[in-house]
Amino acid sequence: MNDKLPPGLDLLWGRLDEPAPEPRQGLSPPRIARAAVELADAGGLDAVSMARVAERLGFTTMSLYRHVKSKSEVLLLMLDAVTAVPAELDEPCDDWRVGLERWCAAQWVMLRAHTWIVHVPITGPPITPNQLAWTDRALAALRDTGLSEAEKAGVVLLVASYMLTTARMGAEIGPAASGESIAAYSTLLGDLVDARRFPALRAAVDAGAYDYPPDTAEEKRGFDYSFGLARILDGVETLIQRRARG
């Protein structure tokens, strides 16, 4: 075990090396993380503070500091708590593209379930146990593609960055992505965009490019990642074919 890990990471990695049963009563890092996640799921990241976590658990704020040193440490524990890799990603898959699509679908479910994740400050590359498990599964999907290890890592970073950015846009747009709001936006564009000043945009508006397809159910209307992901994977496929040709 690396004894130079920053606070928070030492707790996460230490639990893997020396697992111990969680106490039935009192405080513990996992219990603190669960309470913080519940607060964030209900009210966003701003709802999480040491005082509120302590109150939710029925302890004083000072009691928390015997187990975690700061809110930054709590954020690390929260992030690892909600990013456990789903079992389906451990199932074998012979098609790299299907494997990455399945990986992205699981990421999307996680990011939509815990929208606060996209607002956690990025202080460095993924380093918690569960974050690295996600990276491992994505790299495994690319195992037999013929890409170099550096290229595989680059593909995973590209796909993960796209998913995080798209999820953040979806979370911030929120109700604005509803069918009613999109319809209002499309109508507004139709009123503002004239063919002389914005000819290309006018053509897109007239073609319904900013409308939902009429058969799209309301619950399925919102920010979607599928089109952009397909184009990214098309590019990866071209790279794989290029490497296969030598």
Side-chain angles (χ1 to χ4, degrees):
M1 178 64 195
N2 189 335
D3 58 3
K4 296 183 180 180
L5 285 173
L9 286 175
D10 57 350
L11 291 173
L12 291 170
W13 286 101
R15 288 210 306 270
L16 291 182
D17 289 344
E18 300 175 0
E22 186 178 339
R24 293 184 180 180
Q25 294 181 340
L27 288 173
S28 66
R31 190 161 290 158
I32 291 169
R34 285 198 296 272
V37 167
E38 290 169 1
L39 288 169
D41 285 346
L45 211 55
D46 290 340
V48 179
S49 68
M50 299 294 275
R52 287 175 177 170
V53 173
E55 181 183 8
R56 188 174 188 87
L57 291 168
F59 289 85
T60 66
T61 304
M62 289 306 299
S63 299
L64 259 64
Y65 284 104
R66 299 191 186 102
H67 301 270
V68 292
K69 297 179 177 63
S70 65
K71 182 178 175 179
S72 296
E73 192 170 322
V74 173
L75 292 178
L76 269 179
L77 297 174
M78 292 169 60
L79 197 57
D80 197 69
V82 300
T83 54
V85 175
E88 61 262 26
L89 294 188
D90 290 325
E91 298 173 3
C93 181
D94 296 329
D95 187 318
W96 69 266
R97 185 162 183 148
V98 172
L100 281 186
E101 288 172 342
R102 189 169 65 182
W103 186 89
C104 289
Q107 280 263 320
W108 191 249
V109 170
M110 176 186 68
L111 292 168
R112 293 293 295 274
H114 308 285
T115 55
W116 52 266
I117 292 176
V118 301
H119 298 297
V120 174
I122 297 176
T123 58
I127 200 63
T128 73
N130 280 332
Q131 285 178 317
L132 293 185
W134 279 95
T135 302
D136 177 78
R137 302 310 188 274
L139 288 170
L142 296 164
R143 181 185 295 115
D144 299 322
T145 57
L147 298 179
S148 70
E149 295 304 321
E151 288 171 334
K152 293 173 190 174
V155 169
V156 173
L157 178 60
L158 174 63
V159 171
S161 298
Y162 168 72
M163 294 300 296
L164 189 64
T165 300
T166 305
R168 179 163 187 164
M169 292 180 68
E172 292 181 347
I173 288 176
S178 69
E180 183 178 342
S181 296
I182 291 295
Y185 178 66
S186 179
T187 299
L188 184 61
L189 281 180
D191 293 338
L192 295 176
V193 175
D194 64 87
R196 180 183 59 81
R197 183 174 297 175
F198 308 110
L201 181 55
R202 182 72 244 182
V205 171
D206 290 342
Y210 293 93
D211 298 329
Y212 282 117
D215 57 346
T216 304
E218 179 67 31
E219 64 271 14
K220 294 184 178 180
R221 298 183 181 191
F223 233 76
D224 184 38
Y225 68 89
S226 56
F227 179 83
L229 177 64
R231 304 293 73 76
I232 290 173
L233 297 186
D234 286 346
V236 174
E237 187 167 354
T238 298
L239 178 62
I240 291 171
Q241 292 171 351
R242 186 181 302 164
R243 291 291 176 268
R245 293 195 298 267

